Amino acid sequence: MEGLELKVARARRVLLEVAHTWKPQDVAVAWTGGKDSTVALSLWQRVLDEAHPGMRAKALSLDTGCKFPEVVAFRDRMAQEWSIDLTVVRPDVGPDYPVAVDRVACCRDLKVEPLLRALKEREIAVLLTGVRADENPERASRPQTETFDAPSHVRVHPVLEFSEMDIWAYTMAQGLPYCTLYAQGYRSLGCVPCTSLVV
C-alpha cells in the first residue's frame, strides 16, 4: 500500500502545475467545510504561498439552506482565520422547495446548478475539489483532472487518491482544524436530511 507522503507529494505537484498554468485569481476550491475539502484547501494555500506569495486562496461554498449549523459556523470561522476569499453560493429556489423528496433533482437544484452559475459569474477557470476515489464506485474511475463545458472549466481533484484514513492522518499531522460533528460520529457532512450518524 502506498504511503501518505507519496500521495501528498503528487497532490502538491498537481497543484503546483495549476499555480503555474493559471492565474491564482482564476482558481477556486469547492469548500464544503468538511474534512476532505479542508485538506484540499490547506494544500492549495501552501502551494499558493510558495508560487504566489501573499495571494489569498479563493473558495466557493455551497449553502443549500440545509447545512448543519456547526458546519456553517466552522466554515465562516476558518474563512476568517485563514483569510480565505470566500464566496457563499445559494440556490435560487423558493422556501417551499421539496428538499430531499427527489434526491437527484434536489442535488441538481440545490448544488449543481448554483455551482455552475457561480463558476460562470466568478469567471473560475479551475475548480479544486475534495473528491476522493474511495467514497463511491463512480468516483473510483475518475481522472485527477477533468474538463467541463457550460461553463468551460477544469476540475482538479488533488486528494483523489487519499483514503479517509489518509485525510485524518494528514489533518492530525498538520494540526488542521475540523468540524466538531466528526467527533460525534459523523463521517461525512452533507445536507441534514441526507446525512446520518455512523452507529
Side-chain angles (χ1 to χ4, degrees), residues 37-126:
S37 60
T38 297
V39 168
L41 180 60
S42 171
L43 287 165
W44 175 237
Q45 185 60 69
R46 288 169 192 232
V47 164
L48 270 184
D49 289 343
E50 182 180 324
H52 301 282
M55 284 295 300
R56 295 167 60 200
K58 272 189 175 182
L60 299 179
S61 184
L62 288 166
D63 191 339
T64 61
C66 309
K67 294 284 221 178
F68 286 91
E70 294 90 340
V71 174
V72 173
F74 170 77
R75 178 202 68 198
D76 292 347
R77 177 172 58 84
M78 291 315 306
Q80 187 170 19
E81 289 182 13
W82 284 10
S83 297
I84 303 301
D85 179 1
L86 177 66
T87 298
V88 177
V89 181
R90 294 182 173 86
D92 187 18
V93 296
D96 296 329
Y97 184 86
V99 173
V101 172
D102 177 340
R103 289 190 178 195
V104 172
C106 189
C107 280
R108 181 193 65 228
D109 296 341
L110 300 190
K111 294 180 180 180
V112 176
E113 289 182 359
L115 177 63
L116 294 177
R117 185 179 71 245
L119 290 173
K120 185 175 182 179
E121 289 174 355
R122 299 274 292 179
E123 298 181 336
I124 301 299
V126 182

